[in-house]
Amino acid sequence: MDDLPEKLVNKHRGPRASVSAEAFGTWNQKGAFQPKVIAKTQEQKTAISQKLNLSFMFSALDDKDKGVVIDAMIEHQVKVNEVVIKEGDQGDCLYVVDSGNLMCTKVFPGSDEPTFLTRYQSGDAFGELALLYNAPRAATITANDDCLLWKLDRETFNHIVKDAASRKREKYEKFLDTVSVFSTMEPYERAKLADAFKEVAVKAGDYIIRENEDGNDLYLLQEGKAHATKTIEADKPPQKVMDYKTGDVFGERALIKNEPRAANIIADTDCLLVSMDRHSVKRLLGPLEDLLMRNFDLYEKFTSKA
Ligand code: CMP
Ligand code: CMP
C-alpha cells in the first residue's frame, strides 16, 4: 500500500482503510544504519532536547535514541509565508518547531479552496505521515512568521522513531473509535492522541483517583469496569455516584477547573487505562473542552455537604 490511509485525512470520504505499520515500501526497509552527526553547539542541543520533550512523538525515546535524533537534526530557517511542505509532494523529512508559528491546510476533494486544519508552535512536530506511511504529503504547511525549525531525515526517523510511533497509533486506533467524546474530532487529530497516551494497569479494588488529592492526569478506560464515589456528608462514607465502562473518560474536572479531585475512582475489576497529562490535554483536547464539561451539571447534583 503506497497511499496514506484515507481514514486519517478525511472522515467524509468512502470506506476506511486501516493503518498498517507493515505497509512500507522496499526503499523504506531497515538496513545498516549510520547515525548522522551534524555539528551543533551545546546550547542548540539543549534547545532541541527541550522541544523533543514537548513533542509527543518523541516522548517515549530513551536518552540514547534522543541523542541520535538530536545529532541528526538540521537547522532549517523559513521566512514568513514560505511553504515548508506542499500537499502532494514526496516527503523525506519531518520537522520540529523551535520558534515561530505555522499553519496546516488541505485541499479536500470537490473543493478548490484549502481548508484550514491546524496551527503549529514551539515543540510541535509535523510531516510525519509521509514517513510513517510512505505516502505523498497529505497537507500543506506554511509559515505564519519567520520560523526556526529542526529537520529530521527519513533514515534516522525510520530507525529511531518510526516503529514505536506507528505501533502506538495502530494499537489505539480501534479503542479511540469507541470513545464517544472524541467522535467529533478529525480522524487525523484523533489518531495523534495515541502519541500522548501512557498506559496504566490497576487491580480490582485499587484507587485510580483519590478525592481531594491534586490531579494531573485525565484517564480513559480501555478495559474493565470502575466506579466513582464521593463524600456527600462529612461523617458518612463516600457514596457511589457513577459507573464507568470501556471508552469512558474521567479525571477531567480537576484539570479543567484547577481544583482538587472531586471524587474517588475505584476499579471494580482489573482495568487497563490510558492517561494523558495536563499538558497533553491542553494541547490536544483544548477544542473539546465544552464536550469534556458535559457531565459538570450532573456532578452538581452530588455536591458535597461536608
Ligand atoms: P505529511 O503528510 O508528511 O505532510 C503534511 C503534514 O500535515 C502531515 O504529514 C501531518 O503532519 C500534518 N497534518 C495535520 N493535520 C493533518 C490532517 N488532518 N491530515 C493530514 N495531515 C495533517
Ligand atoms: P476529577 O475531579 O479530576 O477526579 C475525580 C473524577 O470523578 C472527576 O474529575 C470526574 O471525572 C469524576 N466524577 C464522577 N462523578 C462525579 C461527581 N458527582 N462529582 C465530581 N466528579 C465526579
Side-chain angles (χ1 to χ4, degrees):
M1 182 184 78
D2 257 339
D3 261 344
L4 185 68
E6 292 209 10
K7 172 178 181 178
L8 291 185
V9 287
N10 186 357
K11 63 179 163 187
H12 307 299
R13 273 195 282 171
R16 301 188 321 209
S18 90
V19 184
S20 168
E22 307 310 319
F24 306 144
T26 45
W27 59 292
N28 219 4
Q29 282 168 6
K30 290 191 175 191
F33 173 59
Q34 278 294 348
K36 296 181 186 51
V37 181
I38 314 290
K40 291 180 187 74
T41 63
Q42 192 51 46
E43 255 180 2
Q44 285 177 312
K45 287 187 185 183
T46 307
I48 302 175
S49 175
Q50 283 166 352
K51 301 308 161 196
L52 294 187
N53 290 343
L54 286 175
S55 173
F56 307 113
M57 181 167 296
F58 298 97
S59 58
L61 295 186
D62 61 26
D63 287 348
K64 183 170 157 278
D65 283 347
K66 209 175 266 176
V68 175
V69 168
I70 292 171
D71 278 342
M73 284 198 144
I74 300 177
E75 187 179 299
H76 187 74
Q77 310 229 17
V78 294
K79 292 275 171 214
V80 58
N81 294 332
E82 198 173 320
V83 173
V84 182
I85 285 180
K86 188 159 172 279
E87 187 176 346
D89 279 0
Q90 291 303 310
D92 62 357
C93 62
L94 73 66
Y95 298 88
V96 175
V97 184
D98 188 303
S99 62
N101 283 281
L102 305 96
M103 69 172 170
C104 176
T105 57
K106 181 173 176 64
V107 179
F108 285 102
S111 166
D112 296 333
E113 293 297 315
T115 302
F116 171 82
L117 292 176
T118 192
R119 219 174 284 287
Y120 294 110
Q121 62 185 28
S122 183
D124 289 333
F126 61 81
E128 81 292 4
L129 285 183
L131 310 188
L132 282 175
Y133 303 112
N134 246 352
R137 295 296 196 187
T140 294
I141 317 279
T142 313
N144 285 335
D145 44 31
D146 293 355
C147 298
L148 175 61
L149 309 175
W150 294 101
K151 190 165 143 177
L152 185 68
D153 65 283
R154 175 189 285 272
E155 206 196 353
T156 309
F157 178 81
N158 279 354
H159 280 81
I160 307 292
V161 193
K162 180 171 176 171
D163 284 357
S166 56
R167 258 203 313 272
K168 217 170 166 197
R169 288 194 186 185
E170 254 185 276
K171 179 174 176 188
Y172 294 112
E173 190 193 355
K174 283 206 179 70
F175 168 63
L176 280 165
D177 283 347
T178 69
V179 183
S180 63
V181 77
F182 296 157
S183 62
T184 57
M185 289 181 95
E186 266 289 316
Y188 172 73
E189 296 298 330
R190 192 164 61 210
K192 243 176 32 167
L193 293 177
D195 296 347
F197 283 173
K198 291 201 180 63
E199 202 147 285
V200 181
V202 297
K203 295 272 174 220
D206 282 356
Y207 278 66
I208 303 162
I209 287 178
R210 281 185 190 273
E211 191 173 359
N212 294 325
E213 286 190 352
D214 288 340
N216 200 41
D217 294 294
L218 168 150
Y219 294 88
L220 302 166
L221 187 52
Q222 258 195 99
E223 284 172 33
K225 292 202 163 109
H227 70 276
T229 66
K230 182 170 172 62
T231 308
I232 310 289
E233 292 182 68
D235 48 356
K236 299 215 170 119
Q239 293 177 24
K240 182 168 171 177
V241 287
M242 190 88 80
D243 278 307
Y244 293 110
K245 57 177 187 335
T246 298
D248 286 341
V249 178
F250 50 78
E252 78 296 357
R253 188 182 180 282
L255 308 192
I256 293 173
K257 295 202 123 192
N258 261 321
E259 288 179 7
R261 297 297 198 185
N264 300 297
I265 308 284
I266 304 161
D268 296 327
T269 63
D270 291 357
C271 290
L272 195 58
L273 305 124
V274 287
S275 70
M276 288 177 77
D277 64 21
R278 186 183 287 273
H279 164 72
S280 319
V281 170
K282 192 158 173 256
R283 287 270 288 275
L284 301 175
L285 299 182
L288 289 191
E289 195 164 289
D290 283 350
L291 271 176
L292 288 171
M293 285 163 65
R294 67 185 174 177
N295 283 334
F296 282 19
D297 285 347
L298 185 65
Y299 299 160
E300 291 302 315
K301 291 188 187 150
F302 301 95
T303 309
S304 167
K305 300 183 192 99

